[in-house]
Coordinates of all heavy atoms in Angstrom, one line a residue:
V1 N -27.0 14.9 -15.3 CA -27.5 16.1 -14.6 C -29.0 15.9 -14.3 O -29.8 15.4 -15.2 CB -27.4 17.4 -15.4 CG1 -28.0 18.6 -14.7 CG2 -25.9 17.7 -15.7
T2 N -29.4 16.2 -13.1 CA -30.9 16.2 -12.7 C -31.4 17.7 -12.7 O -30.6 18.5 -12.1 CB -31.1 15.5 -11.4 OG1 -30.6 14.2 -11.5 CG2 -32.5 15.5 -11.0
I3 N -32.6 17.9 -13.2 CA -33.1 19.3 -13.2 C -34.5 19.3 -12.5 O -35.4 18.5 -12.9 CB -33.2 19.8 -14.6 CG1 -31.9 19.8 -15.3 CG2 -33.7 21.3 -14.6 CD1 -31.9 20.2 -16.8
D4 N -34.6 20.1 -11.5 CA -35.8 20.2 -10.6 C -36.5 21.5 -10.9 O -35.9 22.5 -11.0 CB -35.4 20.1 -9.2 CG -35.1 18.7 -8.7 OD1 -35.2 17.8 -9.5 OD2 -34.8 18.6 -7.5
A5 N -37.9 21.4 -10.9 CA -38.7 22.5 -10.9 C -38.7 23.2 -9.5 O -38.5 22.5 -8.5 CB -40.1 22.2 -11.3
G6 N -38.9 24.5 -9.5 CA -39.0 25.2 -8.2 C -40.4 25.5 -7.9 O -41.4 25.0 -8.5
T7 N -40.6 26.3 -6.8 CA -41.9 26.6 -6.3 C -42.7 27.6 -7.2 O -43.9 27.7 -7.0 CB -41.8 27.1 -4.9 OG1 -41.0 28.3 -4.8 CG2 -41.2 26.1 -4.0
K8 N -42.0 28.4 -8.0 CA -42.7 29.2 -9.0 C -42.6 28.6 -10.3 O -41.5 28.1 -10.7 CB -42.0 30.6 -8.9 CG -42.7 31.6 -9.9 CD -42.1 33.0 -9.8 CE -42.7 34.0 -10.7 NZ -42.1 35.3 -10.7
E9 N -43.7 28.7 -11.1 CA -43.7 27.9 -12.4 C -42.7 28.4 -13.3 O -42.5 29.6 -13.6 CB -45.1 28.0 -13.0 CG -45.2 27.1 -14.3 CD -46.6 27.1 -14.9 OE1 -47.4 26.4 -14.3 OE2 -46.8 27.8 -15.8
S10 N -41.9 27.4 -13.9 CA -41.0 27.6 -15.0 C -41.7 27.3 -16.3 O -42.4 26.2 -16.3 CB -39.7 26.8 -14.9 OG -39.0 27.1 -13.7
P11 N -41.5 28.0 -17.4 CA -42.1 27.6 -18.6 C -41.5 26.3 -19.2 O -42.2 25.5 -19.8 CB -41.8 28.8 -19.6 CG -40.6 29.5 -18.9 CD -40.7 29.3 -17.5
V12 N -40.3 26.1 -18.9 CA -39.6 24.8 -19.3 C -38.4 24.7 -18.4 O -37.8 25.7 -17.9 CB -39.2 24.9 -20.8 CG1 -38.2 26.1 -21.1 CG2 -38.6 23.6 -21.3
L13 N -37.9 23.5 -18.2 CA -36.7 23.2 -17.4 C -35.4 23.1 -18.2 O -34.4 23.4 -17.8 CB -36.9 22.0 -16.6 CG -38.1 22.0 -15.6 CD1 -38.2 20.7 -14.8 CD2 -38.0 23.2 -14.7
L14 N -35.5 22.5 -19.4 CA -34.4 22.4 -20.4 C -35.0 22.6 -21.8 O -35.9 21.9 -22.2 CB -33.7 21.1 -20.3 CG -32.6 20.8 -21.3 CD1 -31.5 21.9 -21.3 CD2 -32.0 19.5 -21.1
E15 N -34.4 23.6 -22.5 CA -34.8 23.8 -23.8 C -33.6 23.7 -24.8 O -32.6 24.3 -24.6 CB -35.4 25.3 -24.0 CG -36.0 25.6 -25.4 CD -36.6 26.9 -25.5 OE1 -36.2 27.9 -24.8 OE2 -37.6 27.0 -26.3
V16 N -33.8 22.9 -25.8 CA -32.7 22.6 -26.8 C -33.2 23.3 -28.1 O -34.1 22.8 -28.8 CB -32.5 21.1 -27.0 CG1 -31.4 20.9 -28.0 CG2 -32.2 20.4 -25.6
G17 N -32.5 24.4 -28.4 CA -32.8 25.1 -29.6 C -34.1 26.0 -29.4 O -34.8 25.8 -28.5
K18 N -34.2 26.9 -30.3 CA -35.4 27.8 -30.3 C -36.4 27.3 -31.3 O -36.1 26.8 -32.3 CB -35.0 29.3 -30.6 CG -34.2 29.9 -29.5 CD -35.0 30.1 -28.2 CE -34.2 30.8 -27.1 NZ -35.0 30.9 -25.9
K19 N -37.7 27.6 -31.0 CA -38.7 27.2 -31.9 C -38.8 28.2 -33.1 O -39.3 29.3 -32.9 CB -40.1 27.1 -31.2 CG -41.2 26.5 -32.1 CD -42.4 26.2 -31.3 CE -43.5 25.5 -32.2 NZ -44.7 25.3 -31.4
N20 N -38.2 27.9 -34.2 CA -38.1 28.8 -35.3 C -39.2 28.6 -36.3 O -39.9 27.6 -36.3 CB -36.7 28.6 -36.0 CG -35.5 28.8 -35.1 OD1 -35.5 29.8 -34.4 ND2 -34.5 28.0 -35.2
G21 N -39.4 29.6 -37.2 CA -40.3 29.4 -38.3 C -39.7 28.4 -39.3 O -38.6 27.9 -39.3
N22 N -40.5 28.0 -40.3 CA -40.2 27.0 -41.2 C -39.0 27.3 -42.1 O -38.3 26.5 -42.6 CB -41.4 26.7 -42.2 CG -42.5 26.0 -41.4 OD1 -42.3 25.4 -40.4 ND2 -43.7 26.2 -41.9
N23 N -38.7 28.6 -42.2 CA -37.6 29.1 -43.1 C -36.3 29.3 -42.3 O -35.2 29.6 -42.9 CB -37.9 30.4 -43.8 CG -39.1 30.2 -44.8 OD1 -39.2 29.1 -45.4 ND2 -39.9 31.2 -44.9
S24 N -36.3 29.1 -41.0 CA -35.1 29.3 -40.2 C -34.3 28.0 -40.1 O -34.9 26.9 -39.8 CB -35.5 29.8 -38.8 OG -36.2 31.0 -38.9
P25 N -33.0 28.0 -40.2 CA -32.2 26.8 -40.2 C -32.1 26.3 -38.7 O -32.1 27.1 -37.8 CB -30.8 27.3 -40.7 CG -30.8 28.7 -40.3 CD -32.2 29.2 -40.5

């Protein structure tokens, strides 16, 4: 798969998992 940015800014194009705190699995 190829992922392209568009003309309005995206914060990220592909995110794997959420940024959790140190105690989150």
